[in-house]
Amino acid sequence: MSQQSHLVALIFVVLVSLLSASRCADSSQKITVTGSMLKGKRRLTIPLSPEHAQKFKNLHNEAENALPSMNAVLTPASISYLQSVFQPIIIKQIQEIQLDDIQQEIDTPIGKLGVNLSNLKMNQFDIKDIQVSLAEGQGMTIKVNNAHAQLSLDWNYRRVHSPHLSDHGTADANVGSNTQLLMTAKVVPLGNSTTLDITIPSFDMDIFQFDLHLHGGASWLYNIFISSFKKAIVKGIEQSLHDNISDIVQKEARAVLSTINLNMELLPGLAADFSFADFIFHSTGIVSEHVALVKATGKPVFPDSPPTLPSVYQPKASDMVQLFLADTLFNSAGYSIQQLGLVQYIIGNNILPEWFPIKLTTAAFCFFIPKVCTMYPISKDMQIAIVSGSAPRMKFDPSVGVETILDLAAEFQVINGTLDTLFTLDATVVLDSAISMQNGTTLVAQFTMKNMTISLKDSEIGSFDVSILGSFMNSVINYILLPLMNIFGQKGLEIPSVQGLTLLNPFVGVLDRMLVISANYKYAPPQ
């Protein structure tokens, strides 16, 4: 959650099925009624909208066999919260269901009757108690206790054989049930896309109350043998509920899933791929694994493997959602930026602020390197061409925090009709990188200089002591490059999430080779 993005959709589907007390089976499924017990097994595959399928088409691509670079974990506290959010919404939707008409033939003391039930309405639906627990490696165990519904309907019958007696009237029923089911879910590939596969390997419903009262016609007579009606009516109503609630599950799941942006364009030709990799059930939470790599169009995928990500961060285990972000997510961004040749910058006198201590002229550099005056007795303007020698990278270490490492080459050029390169410095720059959450959705970074080492790579003016340019290079990094980097750092990286979800009081911590974000959240479902 998301933050745990996709998992909110998963839990929503889980809770929809839970609160409906329905199996949502295929229309061809056989439902056996034995006494007051309804039993069934089913598999539900929710078809994704074309827009949603397009978002997930990168699943199992180049990174098919790679470890995920992001885990989103919903803790038991999150599941309890989502239950409280969705329960009144689902109850309201169930109450608005228009149940299908039911036609049954039943044997009665007065012969076989063709019974028609119409205008079925659920006037009240309430759930007294829900218990949700997680089974390691299996799924989610859900117990719904004391679910009650009040139904109203019209009835009529016609005796199948002569004489064709008939009658009609109204009826009301009070239904009470206890339900227990085990639900599992996972992301599976489907062609070039994916689908959400939800399995209910076990389902038991115990209808402990079914009070049916007929009104109108000779209802005083039919109430004597009303037990003959009950099994047929229970079966028909359950099947009708199944069809309607199946539609609710698919509609609401699509509404939630369609708000998740798992493929984000960062720059032209550069995108972050957060495609689903897997769903895993642990006793400590539900884990959603994501590819989580930045990729450049038409370029190789970042080759390094991420560390194994944990499923829970114990010091903050009471929070609702936890995100584990591997260093490979951030370093794939640097790798892809390097491939696109985006790390290059020209610094001229027009860039330097008025107060800058040294101007970019050959006369100014004569003070440091006298041979420059020999080559250029008349002062010429200069510029510095800064390029990245290797991909920028980030290092996560709990003992020192987050460091960003830049390997730069700085060419000092004289503008002399053409560009004459005087010398090139290699610079390794280490930046302290303070990462935080902004607006509960975006990771932002603030960079400050930590240290820098410089060396002479090549020179047209011979060897010289590069330490004399240390202060100059330090000023270039601090006053020219760092402000630019902080502009992009504050723009940040948006973490995929469902619409309406906002993290509350997020804690951002540094682990070995990864970040952890632990938080509570609030969620406003789509209207």
Side-chain angles (χ1 to χ4, degrees):
M1 120 158 127
S2 306
Q3 291 82 322
Q4 65 284 26
S5 55
H6 62 293
L7 271 177
V8 175
L10 163 64
I11 298 301
F12 178 71
V13 173
V14 169
L15 291 176
V16 169
S17 301
L18 156 67
L19 297 174
S20 67
S22 163
R23 289 186 300 271
C24 301
D26 298 325
S27 58
S28 61
Q29 181 186 6
K30 301 296 185 181
I31 302 174
T32 303
V33 180
T34 305
S36 62
M37 294 297 295
L38 298 178
K39 298 180 180 292
K41 294 183 179 180
R42 64 163 320 279
R43 177 178 293 270
L44 169 66
T45 298
I46 296 181
L48 305 182
S49 65
E51 294 81 9
H52 185 222
Q54 180 66 27
K55 291 178 182 178
F56 295 157
K57 68 182 297 183
N58 292 327
L59 182 66
H60 296 301
N61 55 9
E62 302 99 325
E64 178 177 4
N65 298 316
L67 293 171
S69 288
M70 185 178 90
N71 277 2
V73 181
L74 288 187
T75 68
S78 178
I79 295 171
S80 298
Y81 169 73
L82 289 174
Q83 173 186 310
S84 68
V85 169
F86 284 114
Q87 181 166 324
I89 296 173
I90 301 306
I91 289 175
K92 182 176 183 295
Q93 291 195 353
I94 291 175
Q95 289 175 338
E96 295 173 354
I97 287 177
Q98 180 62 53
L99 300 175
D100 297 331
D101 292 349
I102 299 171
Q103 290 83 36
Q104 298 282 343
E105 287 189 356
I106 61 174
D107 293 317
T108 74
I110 62 173
K112 180 171 290 188
L113 304 181
V115 177
N116 179 62
L117 308 179
S118 60
N119 296 323
L120 285 87
K121 295 181 180 179
M122 192 173 302
N123 301 314
Q124 185 176 342
F125 184 83
D126 190 29
I127 297 174
K128 300 299 183 185
D129 179 51
I130 299 177
Q131 299 176 12
V132 180
S133 59
L134 300 174
E136 181 75 28
Q138 299 182 44
M140 180 184 297
T141 300
I142 305 164
K143 295 181 180 180
V144 183
N145 300 318
N146 291 320
H148 288 270
Q150 292 184 1
L151 305 176
S152 63
L153 55 97
D154 296 331
W155 60 267
N156 66 75
Y157 79 84
R158 186 174 186 269
R159 192 169 183 271
V160 175
H161 304 291
S162 181
H164 299 294
L165 304 175
S166 63
D167 205 345
H168 66 277
T170 61
D172 57 72
N174 294 318
V175 182
S177 67
N178 294 323
T179 303
Q180 178 171 321
L181 58 87
L182 175 68
M183 180 172 289
T184 63
K186 64 179 180 179
V187 175
V188 295
L190 180 63
N192 292 327
S193 181
T194 65
T195 187
L196 182 60
D197 190 30
I198 299 175
T199 304
I200 303 177
S202 67
F203 179 101
D204 291 309
M205 177 184 289
D206 177 16
I207 297 181
F208 60 81
Q209 177 186 359
F210 191 91
D211 299 327
L212 179 66
H213 301 283
L214 304 178
H215 311 288
S219 55
W220 60 270
L221 172 63
Y222 310 136
N223 281 321
I224 297 175
F225 49 86
I226 200 169
S227 60
S228 301
F229 285 85
K230 285 186 177 181
K231 289 183 180 179
I233 294 175
V234 167
K235 180 179 178 180
I237 290 177
E238 197 281 342
Q239 183 65 53
S240 182
L241 278 172
H242 141 253
D243 293 335
N244 283 276
I245 292 174
S246 238
D247 290 341
I248 289 177
V249 169
Q250 295 190 21
K251 176 183 176 182
E252 297 303 327
R254 282 183 175 178
V256 173
L257 292 170
S258 65
T259 68
I260 308 173
N261 184 10
L262 295 181
N263 286 273
M264 304 176 184
E265 185 180 53
L266 306 178
L267 294 169
L270 191 71
D273 177 10
F274 286 94
S275 296
F276 285 118
D278 202 2
F279 283 120
I280 304 172
F281 288 89
H282 293 291
S283 60
T284 53
I286 301 176
V287 180
S288 177
E289 296 184 343
H290 297 258
V291 174
L293 290 176
V294 176
K295 303 175 184 178
T297 303
K299 302 294 184 179
V301 177
F302 183 61
D304 293 357
S305 296
T308 300
L309 300 177
S311 60
V312 68
Y313 180 50
Q314 292 296 341
K316 297 288 290 184
S318 61
D319 282 347
M320 293 179 184
V321 61
Q322 297 171 348
L323 298 176
F324 299 94
L325 305 171
D327 57 1
T328 44
L329 167 60
F330 304 93
N331 291 333
S332 66
Y335 178 82
S336 299
I337 288 172
Q338 178 74 8
Q339 287 184 312
L340 294 177
L342 298 179
V343 186
Q344 50 185 309
Y345 192 65
I346 303 296
I347 300 174
N349 284 307
N350 61 321
I351 300 296
L352 298 180
E354 289 294 328
W355 53 263
F356 204 76
I358 300 175
K359 298 303 179 184
L360 289 172
T361 65
T362 55
F365 273 76
C366 284
F367 180 78
F368 302 104
I369 311 170
K371 192 173 181 179
V372 173
C373 286
T374 303
M375 294 182 65
Y376 298 96
I378 299 175
S379 184
K380 302 287 186 179
D381 284 338
M382 296 176 61
Q383 68 179 29
I384 308 173
I386 295 181
V387 297
S388 177
S390 61
R393 58 196 183 276
M394 300 186 82
K395 180 180 178 181
F396 299 86
D397 185 334
S399 64
V400 297
V402 182
E403 295 178 335
T404 299
I405 302 169
L406 306 175
D407 293 321
L408 304 176
E411 288 190 6
F412 287 74
Q413 302 168 339
V414 177
I415 304 172
N416 187 30
T418 59
L419 293 177
D420 301 336
T421 299
L422 284 181
F423 58 89
T424 302
L425 298 181
D426 278 339
T428 298
V429 182
V430 180
L431 306 175
D432 278 324
S433 309
I435 298 179
S436 59
M437 289 293 295
Q438 187 176 80
N439 300 324
T441 59
T442 305
L443 279 178
V444 297
Q446 181 70 32
F447 302 103
T448 56
M449 172 76 86
K450 185 172 186 178
N451 59 65
M452 175 178 61
T453 58
I454 59 175
S455 61
L456 185 63
K457 181 178 182 181
D458 53 58
S459 172
E460 296 298 323
I461 55 175
S463 180
F464 61 91
D465 184 3
V466 297
S467 64
I468 60 177
L469 293 177
S471 296
F472 174 80
M473 288 298 296
N474 187 71
S475 297
V476 168
I477 299 298
N478 272 302
Y479 300 117
I480 307 298
L481 294 186
L482 272 183
L484 291 174
M485 290 187 62
N486 282 321
I487 289 175
F488 288 101
Q490 289 305 300
K491 182 179 179 181
L493 175 65
E494 183 180 354
I495 300 300
S497 114
V498 298
Q499 183 179 350
L501 186 145
T502 304
L503 292 184
L504 302 176
N505 302 317
F507 163 83
V508 180
V510 180
L511 304 178
D512 185 29
R513 291 193 62 193
M514 70 188 75
L515 281 182
V516 58
I517 303 170
S518 189
N520 291 316
Y521 62 86
K522 62 180 179 180
Y523 178 58
Q527 298 299 317

